[in-house]
Amino acid sequence: MKTIMLVDDDPHIIKALTDHIHWSSLGLRIAGTASNGLDALELFHRLHPDLVMTDVYLPGMTGLEVTQTLRKEHPHLPIIILSGYDEFENARAAMRWGVNHFLLKPAEVEEIESVLRDVLLEQDVRERHERLERTYKQEIGRVLPYLRKHFLHELLTTRYRADELPDERISYVGIRKGSPVRAISLQLNRPGFLTRMKERDWQLLRYGAADIIQETIKEQIPHMPDCQVEIVDYSDRLFVLLLFAENDDLEQVQSLVEQMIDQIFTYLKLELSAGIGRVKGHLCEVMDSYLESREALEAAEFQGGRRVYRYQSSEGVESSVTEYSLLLRQWNEAWVDIRPDLAEEVWHHIRSLLNGGSCNGIQDVQVVAVSLFDTLIHSWNRHYPMLTPPLAMSDFLHEIQSKYALQNLISWLDGIIHNWLEQTRKEMGEKKSNKLVEQVKRYVELHYAEEISFEAIAKGLFVHPKYLSQLFKRVSGENFVSYLNGYRVQKAMELLQSGNYMVYEVSEMTGFRNATYFSQVFKMLTGKSPSEVG
C-alpha cells in the first residue's frame, strides 16, 4: 500500500481529509501530517511518502516552496496542491514545478478521490515503464554483445550493398559508423600429435588462446588511438579481428598480431598463423578484406606457422605458393580413399619443387614434410585402426629435427614416403586377398549341399585356381577340401541332432554323394560315427 503526506495549517482540513476520504479503497495510507512547510520537509525526509498533498499558504514556508525543494530531490514525486485561493499566479507556479493537480477548496470528496486515482494511475504507469526500461537495459546489456558478434559474422559470410546496412543498425550493435575497416584472420594450428587429444582439452586450449587475444587487445588498444577492435569467433580454429580506425598503421597492426602469436606459443605451446587483409572504406566491403586475409593465410600451408602474412595482389604472389597449395590439396585427396599411384605422382611433383629451391629454407621444407606426414598418419589410422603405422608421428618429429641439410631432408622424406606407399600397397593386397577368401567361404555356405568345383569357383572370381588355392591356405590356415569337409560335417551334426533325418539322407543333404565316405569323414573329424550322434 502506498503512503501519502498531508500538509495544511488548518487542523479542520486535515481532519476532514483524514475522516472522509476512503484511503483504503484507494490503496493509500496516511503516513503523516504537517502544519507548516519546514515540518513538512523534515517529515518527508523521515517517512519518504509516495505522494504529497499540500496547501499553498503555510507558515514559514509556502507549499510552492516546499514543492520546489522536493522537486529538486525527487523529480517524479506526485504532488497535489489543495488551495483556497484561486490565484492564476499560484496555479502557473504550480505548473512550472511539475505539480500533478491543482485543486481549489472546498473540493468535493469525489473530486479529491478522482484526482488521487488519476495520480496513482499515472504513478503506476510511470513505475511500470521504469521497470520495463531497467529490464530492457539489463537484457540488452547481455544480448547486445551476442547481436554484435552475430552481425559481424554475417558480414564475413554475406555480401551486402551499402544501402542494405543502415546507420541505425550499425549504431545499435555498437559498431563505429563510417570508419575504414581491416580484417585479420588468426588461425590456430592443431598439429598432428595433438589431434588425438580429448576434445575437452582442445577446447580449453582454444579458450585460453581467445583469452590471450582479448587481453593483448585490451593492453594495446590505449596505444592505438581512435581504433575499435572486434573479435569474431569464426570457427573451431579461426578467429577474425576487425579493426575500425581512421588512421590504420599497418606496422602497428602487425606488431599487435605478433605479440598475440608469441604469447599464445609461450603460454599454450600452440602455433598461431595470421593473415592480414587490406583496409576497406565501407563496412559492406569487410568480406573482401576477410577473404584477402584467408588468401594470405594459405602461405602458412607451406611456409609454416607463428608468422604474419600480408595479403599481396595476385601479380605479386609467387607461382610456387599456388603450386604448393594445389599439390597439398591433391595429396590429401589421394589419401582420403587411398590411391597410392596418385599419391606417388603428387609426391614426385612436390619433390621436384623442393629440389628446385622454391621454399625459403630448411624450416619451410620441414613444414611441408610435417604436413605430408600428418596426412599419412590420419589416413592410416582411419583405414587401418588396428595396425601400427610404418612410422609413429613422435619418431618422425624427433628424426626431422636432426636433418639440417636440405638434400638430406628431402632424401630422408622420399624414403619414408616410398616405404609408406609399399606398406599401403601390401595392406591393400592383403585386404583384396582376404576378400577373395571370404567370397570362397560365402560360396561354400550357399552351395555346400551341391557338388562343388574349386576350379569353377576360381573361374568365377577371375583368378587362377592354383593362386586361389595357395591364397586360401595362407589366409585360412587350411586347404579348401579340409574347409569344405569341415563345414559339411558341421551342418550334418545339426541335421542329425534334430532327429528328423536318417544318416543316408543327411549324407545327401550335405553334399556327400557316398554314405560310406560321409561316415569316414564324419568320424575322422568328430571321433564318432553319424549313427552315434543321431
Side-chain angles (χ1 to χ4, degrees):
M1 183 174 287
K2 293 186 180 297
T3 59
I4 186 170
M5 183 179 75
L6 305 176
V7 185
D8 202 301
D9 59 342
D10 187 342
H12 298 290
I13 297 297
I14 295 293
K15 181 171 175 50
L17 290 172
T18 303
D19 294 342
H20 296 293
I21 302 298
H22 295 87
W23 298 106
S24 59
S25 66
L26 294 170
L28 279 170
R29 177 178 60 83
I30 298 174
T33 63
S35 57
N36 64 70
L38 294 175
D39 289 346
L41 290 177
E42 189 277 330
L43 187 65
F44 179 87
H45 291 120
R46 184 156 47 89
L47 300 178
H48 302 289
D50 298 300
L51 287 80
V52 173
M53 182 181 287
T54 180
D55 191 9
V56 173
Y57 293 102
L58 299 170
M61 191 177 192
T62 68
L64 293 178
E65 290 173 331
V66 171
T67 298
Q68 181 178 353
T69 302
L70 292 176
R71 271 283 178 267
K72 291 179 179 178
E73 301 174 0
H74 307 279
H76 299 297
L77 175 69
I79 300 176
I80 302 169
I81 295 293
L82 185 61
S83 175
Y85 298 91
D86 185 9
E87 294 183 4
F88 176 73
E89 188 58 38
N90 286 339
R92 189 169 67 174
M95 293 292 290
R96 186 166 61 249
W97 289 106
V99 170
N100 297 70
H101 289 275
F102 193 95
L103 294 173
L104 292 176
K105 299 176 184 178
E108 297 292 334
V109 170
E110 292 78 6
E111 183 183 6
I112 296 174
E113 289 181 347
S114 176
V115 168
L116 287 169
R117 288 192 187 92
D118 289 344
V119 171
L120 288 170
L121 180 59
E122 291 170 4
Q123 187 182 36
D124 184 59
V125 170
R126 179 180 56 77
E127 290 176 350
R128 180 170 297 183
H129 180 76
E130 288 176 350
R131 286 197 301 270
L132 287 173
E133 190 171 350
R134 284 196 301 270
T135 302
Y136 171 76
K137 288 180 179 178
Q138 291 172 355
E139 290 301 318
I140 202 64
R142 287 193 289 266
V143 173
L144 196 57
Y146 167 77
L147 293 177
R148 181 164 56 250
K149 301 302 182 189
H150 179 74
F151 174 67
L152 294 174
H153 192 283
E154 198 174 299
L155 290 176
L156 298 179
T157 55
T158 306
R159 191 173 295 282
Y160 286 96
R161 299 191 308 270
D163 59 357
E164 294 176 321
L165 295 174
D167 290 347
E168 292 79 6
R169 184 183 183 190
I170 297 172
S171 298
Y172 181 74
V173 296
I175 302 300
R176 181 180 299 177
K177 296 186 297 182
S179 293
V181 58
R182 182 198 295 274
I184 302 171
S185 291
L186 306 175
Q187 181 171 282
L188 288 172
N189 299 325
R190 189 173 178 175
F193 58 85
L194 288 181
T195 54
R196 298 177 185 172
M197 71 191 311
K198 294 180 180 178
E199 186 61 24
R200 174 179 176 275
D201 296 330
W202 167 248
Q203 292 302 329
L204 282 174
L205 284 174
R206 185 178 174 280
Y207 176 82
D211 188 59
I212 289 174
I213 291 171
Q214 290 173 341
E215 288 298 319
T216 306
I217 291 173
K218 191 182 299 183
E219 291 174 4
Q220 296 301 317
I221 203 67
H223 307 296
M224 303 173 68
D226 198 34
C227 180
Q228 178 182 356
V229 183
E230 295 292 335
I231 307 173
V232 181
D233 191 343
Y234 192 87
S235 67
D236 186 58
R237 294 175 54 202
L238 188 70
F239 300 95
V240 181
L241 300 186
L242 297 179
L243 274 66
F244 300 85
E246 290 297 335
N247 299 306
D248 186 340
D249 185 340
L250 183 55
E251 297 302 326
Q252 193 174 30
V253 170
Q254 178 155 339
S255 176
L256 171 69
V257 176
E258 288 173 347
Q259 187 172 345
M260 294 175 185
I261 292 173
D262 291 340
Q263 292 287 314
I264 289 174
F265 186 77
T266 299
Y267 291 103
L268 303 178
K269 300 304 179 216
L270 282 179
E271 289 190 344
L272 181 74
S273 302
I276 301 180
R278 293 181 294 184
V279 174
K280 303 299 176 181
H282 193 278
L283 196 59
C284 66
E285 299 176 290
V286 69
M287 184 178 182
D288 295 319
S289 183
Y290 163 68
L291 292 175
E292 290 173 357
S293 71
R294 292 301 303 272
E295 188 174 334
L297 261 182
E298 287 186 8
E301 291 185 21
F302 72 98
Q303 289 189 14
R306 296 187 62 199
R307 294 187 184 182
V308 180
Y309 303 91
R310 299 182 186 180
Y311 173 77
Q312 295 176 313
S313 58
S314 57
E315 55 269 17
V317 180
E318 296 181 8
S319 61
S320 61
V321 175
T322 305
E323 288 184 83
Y324 271 113
S325 298
L326 178 61
L327 288 170
L328 288 173
R329 194 173 297 115
Q330 291 175 344
W331 175 261
N332 291 334
E333 291 171 357
W335 288 100
V336 168
D337 49 2
I338 305 191
R339 290 179 287 170
D341 292 341
L342 175 59
E344 188 170 22
E345 181 181 342
V346 173
W347 163 240
H348 287 159
H349 286 296
I350 295 176
R351 186 180 59 189
S352 176
L353 279 178
L354 294 174
N355 283 323
S358 59
C359 283
N360 293 331
I362 189 72
Q363 290 183 338
D364 294 338
V365 179
Q366 287 177 334
V367 170
V368 174
V370 171
S371 178
L372 295 170
F373 191 77
D374 185 60
T375 299
L376 294 177
I377 283 289
H378 276 81
S379 174
W380 187 278
N381 291 337
R382 184 168 60 252
H383 290 93
Y384 311 115
M386 304 304 293
L387 298 178
T388 302
L391 181 64
M393 175 61 87
S394 57
D395 295 333
F396 175 86
L397 293 174
H398 177 73
E399 288 187 45
I400 199 173
Q401 298 302 321
S402 63
K403 309 301 178 185
Y404 302 110
L406 182 61
Q407 290 304 317
N408 185 26
L409 172 58
I410 296 173
S411 177
W412 170 75
L413 183 60
D414 184 62
I416 289 176
I417 290 176
H418 278 98
N419 178 58
W420 202 285
L421 289 167
E422 182 182 340
Q423 292 297 318
T424 301
R425 289 187 174 108
K426 181 180 178 181
E427 289 302 327
M428 291 177 69
E430 290 291 335
K431 239 181 174 181
K432 185 177 180 181
S433 299
N434 293 343
K435 188 176 181 181
L436 284 172
V437 171
E438 290 301 319
Q439 287 177 302
V440 172
K441 290 182 178 181
R442 179 61 178 164
Y443 186 89
V444 170
E445 291 175 16
L446 297 175
H447 304 281
Y448 69 90
E450 307 167 13
E451 184 175 352
I452 293 178
S453 166
F454 187 76
E455 286 76 10
I457 296 176
K459 186 177 180 181
L461 295 176
F462 304 102
V463 294
H464 194 279
K466 186 175 182 180
Y467 166 76
L468 184 60
S469 175
Q470 294 172 343
L471 177 64
F472 190 91
K473 186 172 183 179
R474 178 168 62 84
V475 173
S476 65
E478 58 183 333
N479 61 40
F480 176 73
V481 173
S482 297
Y483 176 79
L484 177 61
N485 286 338
Y487 190 86
R488 283 173 166 172
V489 167
Q490 179 185 344
K491 290 296 180 181
M493 287 275 288
E494 296 173 4
L495 294 171
L496 290 169
Q497 288 172 348
S498 71
N500 298 324
Y501 306 99
M502 302 296 290
V503 172
Y504 75 90
E505 292 177 308
V506 172
S507 173
E508 293 181 356
M509 292 170 69
T510 53
F512 291 98
R513 297 293 176 256
N514 185 308
T516 302
Y517 177 64
F518 166 62
S519 298
Q520 291 173 344
V521 173
F522 191 94
K523 189 169 185 178
M524 180 181 65
L525 294 179
T526 65
K528 298 179 181 180
S529 66
S531 57
E532 289 178 302
V533 175

